[in-house]
Amino acid sequence: MTLHKNFPMCIESPSGLKVEINANGSIRRMDYGDIMLNLFLGNEVEGGPANIYLRRKRETVEAIPLLGPNSPASFQIGEQGITAEGAWQDVRFRLSLVLAQSAPAWFWHVKLENTGTTAETYDLIYVQDIGLAHYGAIRLNEYYVSHYIDHTPLNHPQHGVALASRQNQSMGGRCPWTIIGSLGRGVSFATDALQFYGLASRAGRIPIGLTKGLPCARRQHEHSMAALQDAPVLLKPGAKVQRGFFGWFEADKQSATTAADAAFIDTALDLPDALPPPASAVFTGVRPAASLFSTAPLLTTLKLDASDIASLFGAGLRHAEYADGRLLSFFTGDNRHVVLKEKELKVLRPHGHLLRTGNALTPDETALTSTVWMAGVFHSMVTQGHVSINRFLSTCHSYLGLFRSHGLRIFVEIDSGWHLLDMPSAYEMAPDSCCWIYNYSGGMIAVRSTGPADRHELSLSVKVLAGKTVRFFLSFHVAMNGDDGSISSPVSYVKEADAIFVRSVPDCDVGWRFPDGGFRIQTAPGTCIEKFGGDELLFSDSASRNQPFLCMVTAPAAAIGLRIAGFLIPPSADAQQGLHDFWSHITAGLHIDPPAGSPLGPATARVAEILPW
């Protein structure tokens, strides 16, 4: 059985609740009418935030996800739901998703069995990202949508704490609402993914909610999430237990959540679907093939010492920032700012930079823009002209590390295994470029991305500063076919001698406007591509999931490079000359005279350098 055919699979209840499930056993989206319940789209290479975690509680807590590509389960997905069966250490589990027939409600039923020889304590944590908004609003900005969701804990005498979530921003005159609770007894909760994952998730560390439990506190921030922790259960050898969670959806709740709304808990649990489904006689589950984004570890980076910093950035550090005696960031040279790994893991807002080609002071339709992020996002949201409609590469949809496949990412082969270049030792920002320094046990690698002022090309260069030559795996998440790369549609491209020309499919916004347009990825001289293809290169079974990825594997090298150029909008000599004449007229005789003694005085001498002509 090939699990990835005809996916995502959509299941729907008579009440109108729909759930899309990826081939890797993760939830892609949940909908009721024109309202999307979840906040992020799960995908075929990583899964999504919605999950149920099984924890074994000893002196140290261990945990596994029961859904998605990192689950040890085999999955059976059909028109009626999803069932996962597997084993972890000395516990067997069976997980089933059931959609209620008579109401817009859903149930996760979990059966646990201790197959070991000692008694063990287990519990479950259910995390569900919450959007409760129109699809377009969510895809435009998940953070904005999150700001308008109110999360309120409600208490039930038998089933403990539950979480009610209400969208306070009107969706066509309606305020969608959900309540999520435990089939057993909820003992704690969280309302934002920041509480569950923590900032350390940026470095690939275990979510803090799994190691320490949920904080039992409300935080209404930018990653709306209903997280619920079930009461622990002691399982003796051979013992079995049934646990789980439920969700109830109201399409319109005009009033704010109050304690009286706990009555919805009883209404949901009175449904016949709240009872565990009978186990099927035959389970034909399949273990999904892994992808690099779900299995490859992040490259572990090391701290730079003083000699490394002096060698890389010079000795003249300015405005150095320290915490507890440790260097966090500094300025150097005329216009460079360097941030070290220690600071990125302390601040809420991640460090990034917007690169733009050309030097025009007004919008230039032929210019390219790219957003780069410290956590190994070397180009993203790449567009020519209008940022919303002429997009080439996808944008990042979370700053907590929930997704790592968006944009342009790079794996490096070390000790016969791929490692993702993610959090660097240092990140340098200049007006037209950014540089990532990866200091690791086997050497040092530098990656540089640029958006030059003298030409409309984005560039990427990778250099081994110390250590052996290595192979690189470049993954481009292409967004040209629509919906920022979330549509199941392979990349359309033409391979040239030393370049790849990428086109959109005809039936999409970019294809309608620019039927002959596209973007060219040109490899630098000396860059040897051993393998080239689509998303099939990301999966261990080498089978495509029809995802819009373009992948390249290089030969072992000390340095590689490429350039990205846009061919949606051809440059116009007349337009360029007209813009030149316009700004020459506007800036003729322009003078900037700051007050005497102003610190801006020296800067006025550089006006001629800043202006385009």
Side-chain angles (χ1 to χ4, degrees):
M1 177 181 178
T2 53
L3 190 60
H4 56 274
K5 297 292 185 182
N6 302 317
F7 277 87
M9 175 78 74
C10 181
I11 61 175
E12 182 175 2
S13 70
S15 62
L17 185 64
K18 297 179 182 178
V19 179
E20 289 186 9
I21 302 170
N22 292 313
N24 57 22
S26 64
I27 301 300
R28 183 175 186 269
R29 60 186 288 186
M30 302 176 68
D31 296 88
Y32 184 87
D34 62 349
I35 297 299
M36 182 164 146
L37 278 65
N38 55 314
L39 187 66
F40 297 99
L41 291 179
N43 62 55
E44 290 289 358
V45 295
E46 298 179 272
N51 219 314
I52 294 178
Y53 292 88
L54 172 61
R55 302 197 308 162
R56 187 179 70 177
K57 306 182 70 173
R58 292 180 174 176
E59 290 184 6
T60 59
V61 177
E62 297 177 87
I64 56 157
L66 301 185
L67 294 169
N70 292 316
S71 168
S74 296
F75 296 95
Q76 180 175 295
I77 306 172
E79 296 180 357
Q80 300 304 314
I82 177 173
T83 302
E85 285 194 6
W88 174 61
Q89 298 179 354
D90 290 331
V91 62
R92 287 195 57 81
F93 63 87
R94 180 184 179 93
L95 174 84
S96 299
L97 170 63
V98 176
L99 302 187
Q101 297 297 296
S102 60
W106 67 98
F107 296 88
W108 289 103
H109 294 285
V110 184
K111 181 180 180 181
L112 303 176
E113 178 184 1
N114 186 349
T115 60
T117 57
T118 59
E120 298 283 358
T121 299
Y122 298 95
D123 71 0
L124 298 169
I125 292 180
Y126 176 30
V127 295
Q128 176 63 64
D129 49 316
I130 299 290
L132 300 177
H134 293 141
Y135 183 81
I138 289 175
R139 293 295 289 161
L140 183 64
N141 193 320
E142 295 93 344
Y143 308 145
Y144 180 82
V145 168
S146 292
H147 286 161
Y148 287 88
I149 300 177
D150 172 78
H151 300 281
T152 301
L154 298 175
N155 289 298
H156 188 275
Q158 284 79 44
H159 296 281
V161 67
L163 274 176
S165 305
R166 180 178 184 266
Q167 176 57 261
N168 289 331
Q169 190 172 45
S170 174
M171 293 292 146
R174 293 161 290 150
C175 293
W177 183 87
T178 63
I179 185 167
I180 290 176
S182 170
L183 297 180
R185 183 174 180 82
V187 295
S188 193
F189 66 91
T191 61
D192 194 89
L194 179 61
Q195 296 172 294
F196 178 73
Y197 288 96
L199 293 177
S201 61
R202 293 177 182 168
R205 297 173 188 168
I206 298 173
I208 190 173
L210 293 180
T211 57
K212 295 185 177 181
L214 302 183
C216 203
R218 181 166 61 174
R219 179 168 190 164
Q220 300 185 164
H221 204 242
E222 293 177 324
H223 290 75
S224 172
M225 175 174 281
L228 201 64
Q229 182 176 331
D230 201 25
V233 58
L234 177 65
L235 276 184
K236 296 181 179 180
K240 302 176 183 179
V241 69
Q242 191 76 40
R243 288 289 188 270
F245 302 90
F246 72 90
W248 178 281
F249 175 75
E250 285 288 308
D252 182 24
K253 190 176 187 302
Q254 289 295 316
S255 60
T257 302
T258 67
D261 292 321
F264 282 97
I265 299 174
D266 292 319
T267 303
L269 296 181
D270 284 341
L271 295 173
D273 313 277
L275 297 175
S280 58
V282 178
F283 179 73
T284 57
V286 175
R287 185 76 179 272
S291 81
L292 275 182
F293 282 107
S294 64
T295 59
L298 308 186
L299 182 65
T300 301
T301 52
L302 307 176
K303 181 181 177 182
L304 297 173
D305 59 28
S307 62
D308 291 327
I309 291 175
S311 175
L312 291 165
F313 307 110
L317 308 188
R318 296 181 287 109
H319 304 295
E321 180 183 14
Y322 293 87
D324 301 323
R326 302 179 67 178
L327 182 62
L328 298 181
S329 69
F330 55 88
F331 288 82
T332 183
D334 292 334
N335 53 17
R336 292 184 296 164
H337 181 216
V338 179
V339 175
L340 303 182
K341 176 180 177 180
E342 288 79 3
K343 182 173 182 179
E344 176 74 352
L345 297 180
K346 287 179 178 290
V347 298
L348 177 64
R349 296 290 183 219
H351 293 87
H353 196 19
L354 177 63
L355 301 176
R356 189 196 68 171
T357 65
N359 59 5
L361 295 183
T362 58
D364 180 352
E365 285 290 329
T366 60
L368 296 173
T369 57
S370 174
T371 304
V372 300
W373 297 101
M374 182 172 177
V377 182
F378 304 113
H379 281 299
S380 73
M381 210 173 185
V382 172
T383 60
Q384 183 181 34
H386 197 287
V387 72
S388 294
I389 59 178
N390 293 356
R391 192 168 301 176
F392 176 41
L393 298 183
S394 66
T395 188
C396 294
H397 288 265
S398 166
Y399 55 74
L400 295 179
L402 305 189
F403 299 97
R404 287 186 158 88
S405 61
H406 299 154
L408 168 56
R409 304 303 305 262
I410 300 176
F411 298 86
V412 59
E413 189 178 41
I414 298 174
D415 298 329
S416 301
W418 292 109
H419 294 70
L420 181 63
L421 294 182
D422 197 82
M423 185 65 67
S425 304
Y427 175 60
E428 177 196 79
M429 292 163 280
D432 64 349
S433 67
C434 287
C435 183
W436 295 254
I437 301 297
Y438 292 89
N439 183 32
Y440 67 103
S441 59
M444 185 180 292
I445 295 172
V447 182
R448 183 173 294 276
S449 295
T450 65
D454 59 348
R455 62 189 182 279
H456 290 315
E457 290 181 345
L458 298 169
S459 72
L460 175 81
S461 61
V462 188
K463 186 175 182 180
V464 177
L465 301 180
K468 301 178 181 178
T469 60
V470 292
R471 292 202 303 164
F472 297 96
F473 186 119
L474 284 72
S475 168
F476 301 80
H477 188 214
V478 177
M480 292 178 70
N481 294 344
D483 204 0
D484 202 42
S486 68
I487 294 174
S488 295
S489 177
V491 177
S492 175
Y493 61 87
V494 176
K495 194 173 188 306
E496 301 172 351
D498 56 353
I500 304 296
F501 191 80
V502 184
R503 305 179 188 275
S504 66
V505 296
D507 189 20
C508 72
D509 288 343
V510 175
W512 295 331
R513 293 194 308 275
F514 309 108
D516 299 319
F519 291 81
R520 177 174 283 115
I521 303 173
Q522 182 92 35
T523 55
T527 299
C528 178
I529 304 298
E530 282 188 345
K531 193 181 296 184
F532 177 84
D535 70 316
E536 72 278 359
L537 296 183
L538 290 169
F539 293 96
S540 59
D541 62 0
S542 301
S544 172
R545 272 67 173 171
N546 296 319
Q547 299 302 297
F549 285 90
L550 193 64
C551 301
M552 304 178 184
V553 182
T554 73
I560 64 169
L562 59 85
R563 303 192 307 273
I564 300 174
F567 292 88
L568 298 181
I569 304 160
S572 168
D574 292 340
Q576 292 295 322
Q577 183 62 42
L579 191 60
H580 178 282
D581 295 342
F582 171 78
W583 279 107
S584 295
H585 171 73
I586 291 296
T587 59
L590 177 64
H591 297 282
I592 300 176
D593 298 313
S598 168
L600 294 178
T604 60
R606 297 187 60 246
V607 169
E609 300 176 19
I610 298 171
L611 294 176
W613 299 283

